[in-house]
Amino acid sequence: MDEEPVDGELRYPDDDDDGYGDEALGDPYCATPVGLIAQGGDCDDQDAAIHPEATEVCNEGIDDDCDGATDDDDDSLDRDTRSYFFEDADEDGYGNPRRTAQACAAPEGYVEDDSDCDDESSAVNPDAEEVCDDGIDNDCDDAALGCGLEGALASADEVISGTEVLAMSAEGIVVLAGGQTVWWTTTGDTPLGSYDAADVGELSCYINNGIMDTSDAGSVNLGASDCAVGDFDGDGAPEAAGAKDTQTDVYNADASSLEARVAGGGRVKAVDLNVDGVMDLIAQTPEGAAIWTGPLTSDRSLESALVTFTGADIDDIEVLDYTGDGHPDMALGSPDEDDGASTDAGAAWVFFGPLHDAYTGDIATATIYGAAGDGIGTSLCSGDVDGDGDADLWVGGEGVHYLHLGPTAGTTDPVNAQASMASSGLCGAADMDADGKAETAIGTGTQVWLFYGAGL
């Protein structure tokens, strides 16, 4: 055989059997020897995926098609193999999810991460520490974890002498202390101030030993168990509704004349269900709860209620805007419910508005269970604790209250609660310092603890 003939043709070894020989090892031959091939052009004869007919893909500088260009510099690149990168204008290592580029490698000023919620501030990113009440979501978690109410609460912002929360509004708190009613009011910039009842203003009514107290009606002994104040007849002046076990009497402002009676009692709340400016009335019934729409100027039977809930014994009711959409939502507490695994866990059912139908617990938008023996549902109160525009719900039972941030949907339990505390009796929530976040008052059995609202 002629060795390196001047008129021979190049033949190449093809160690990776991809049909293309190693371009660097070609030699001329008059005839093709065994083990060599006529097609050259392979730039990596140890990898069958690399040859002139291969597809150029993003793979950190490998010249897949042996044309001398790689990745983004190769015009024949399969563009579908590129990745998304995100602009990092503030150079904190976290990218803006709304400013993107596609490439094999991150262009200058872009990163792989897309979790920055403010790309104009390097102090705001998922690794930043949350600063309470600065109006900024510092760590980009859409919450104020690390601030305010979180986890098991072992101390309060303020401690009030008293054993039971009777009522709470933006103007003050009414507590039971030593068998007497005590008004704690808001003065100036501090949540707690004097005992002067005259400063309380339009505080919601409360019951003390069967006597209904309101800022308009004064003290009236109706033998009631609960009460509510609102313009139930649409005349522009508030009425007082005093609830007994199975009925609620609606009186004029000074409680001198009976205007209506509805077939529900126990716990009662005023709510503008259809957002028409006239208050409606929600109350317990023998089969659950019901809502009667105003104007309430005559007696109402259970059959005349617009909304009914049946199928469980209800201990407490709450009306809240859990979703922040302007429509009242309904929360009902039933301490005898089991969650299927935990006996006497208790439950709170939440039904999202607009409300206009017959409801049962199995169609609730949200179902909140307690732990075994908690019996939650005896106490419900709500307010926008974290200042995000959605009401948050406290659910209480046998010695415990849990805070669930709104809105919650589906089934949840104490593991998903934002905060909890050992407690006794009822709770109250209202924005007392006008900062957009509701304060919460809960009894411990020997004191009433007040927590300031804290959030974004």
Side-chain angles (χ1 to χ4, degrees):
M1 177 180 294
D2 295 332
E3 293 186 5
E4 298 186 357
V6 296
D7 59 348
E9 296 182 355
L10 292 176
R11 297 295 183 263
Y12 310 89
D14 183 18
D15 290 346
D16 57 9
D17 293 323
D18 61 2
Y20 295 87
D22 189 335
E23 188 70 26
L25 299 179
D27 289 314
Y29 292 91
C30 293
T32 302
V34 175
L36 301 182
I37 62 174
Q39 181 66 52
D42 202 340
C43 55
D44 185 347
D45 202 34
Q46 303 303 310
D47 189 338
I50 298 176
H51 54 76
E53 292 300 318
T55 300
E56 185 71 29
V57 297
C58 292
N59 51 13
E60 299 182 351
I62 297 174
D63 185 8
D64 303 282
D65 57 3
C66 298
D67 64 355
T70 65
D71 294 348
D72 291 311
D73 295 327
D74 194 332
D75 292 338
S76 65
L77 173 71
D78 180 356
R79 299 170 69 85
D80 290 338
T81 66
R82 298 175 302 172
S83 300
Y84 278 99
F85 297 94
F86 306 89
E87 186 179 34
D88 181 19
D90 57 9
E91 299 182 348
D92 60 1
Y94 298 88
N96 182 347
R98 293 174 295 278
R99 300 292 298 273
T100 64
Q102 277 187 285
C104 291
E108 184 177 355
Y110 284 74
V111 296
E112 293 183 6
D113 184 275
D114 68 344
S115 59
D116 205 339
C117 57
D118 184 353
D119 204 33
E120 296 181 357
S121 173
S122 60
V124 177
N125 59 64
D127 197 40
E129 183 176 350
E130 187 65 41
V131 178
C132 296
D133 291 324
D134 66 348
I136 300 172
D137 184 9
N138 308 93
D139 60 2
C140 298
D141 66 352
D142 293 326
L145 299 182
C147 296
L149 304 181
E150 180 185 11
L153 304 176
S155 62
D157 294 305
E158 299 279 358
V159 175
I160 302 172
S161 297
T163 57
E164 184 74 47
V165 178
L166 297 178
M168 185 172 180
S169 78
E171 287 77 24
I173 307 171
V174 179
V175 301
L176 187 64
Q180 296 181 339
T181 301
V182 179
W183 304 79
W184 287 86
T185 65
T186 304
T187 58
D189 295 327
T190 59
L192 295 181
S194 71
Y195 294 93
D196 186 0
D199 294 334
V200 175
E202 298 296 324
L203 184 66
S204 298
C205 70
Y206 65 94
I207 294 292
N208 184 7
N209 296 324
I211 299 176
M212 179 177 69
D213 285 291
T214 76
S215 58
D216 294 293
S219 297
V220 182
N221 193 343
L222 300 176
S225 59
D226 198 12
C227 58
V229 169
D231 182 10
F232 295 111
D233 61 6
D235 66 355
E239 284 73 48
K244 299 180 182 180
D245 289 339
T246 58
Q247 70 183 46
T248 298
D249 296 331
V250 181
Y251 288 84
N252 63 349
D254 62 4
S256 62
S257 64
L258 179 66
E259 295 194 353
R261 175 174 289 165
V262 301
R267 295 288 284 168
V268 64
K269 295 286 174 67
V271 54
D272 188 0
L273 184 68
N274 45 16
V275 198
D276 63 355
V278 178
M279 297 307 292
D280 312 307
L281 196 64
I282 179 171
Q284 291 172 266
T285 68
E287 295 182 342
I291 302 178
W292 291 265
T293 55
L296 296 175
T297 56
S298 61
D299 292 353
R300 299 287 190 88
S301 65
L302 183 57
E303 289 71 24
S304 68
L306 176 66
V307 175
T308 60
F309 171 88
T310 58
D313 291 330
I314 300 302
D315 265 34
D316 202 3
I317 57 180
E318 179 70 355
V319 179
L320 67 163
D321 190 357
Y322 209 34
T323 57
D325 64 356
H327 292 285
D329 307 310
M330 176 174 67
L332 303 173
S334 181
D336 296 330
E337 292 297 311
D338 299 334
D339 67 356
S342 302
T343 303
D344 294 330
W349 293 294
V350 183
F351 302 89
F352 289 1
L355 302 168
H356 52 74
D357 211 339
Y359 297 92
T360 56
D362 57 357
I363 62 171
T365 311
T367 300
I368 302 170
Y369 286 111
D374 281 344
I376 67 167
T378 60
S379 173
L380 303 176
C381 62
S382 66
D384 188 3
V385 173
D386 58 4
D388 67 351
D390 301 323
D392 308 307
L393 183 63
W394 283 95
V395 293
E398 294 296 326
V400 66
H401 271 76
Y402 298 107
L403 173 63
H404 290 270
L405 300 182
T408 296
T411 301
T412 189
D413 55 33
V415 174
N416 303 113
Q418 169 76 6
S420 64
M421 68 163 286
S423 59
S424 174
L426 302 178
C427 63
D431 184 7
M432 299 179 65
D433 53 8
D435 67 347
K437 297 177 286 291
E439 281 63 56
T440 305
I442 303 177
T444 66
T446 57
Q447 298 172 324
V448 172
W449 283 8
L450 180 69
F451 302 95
Y452 301 161
L456 298 180

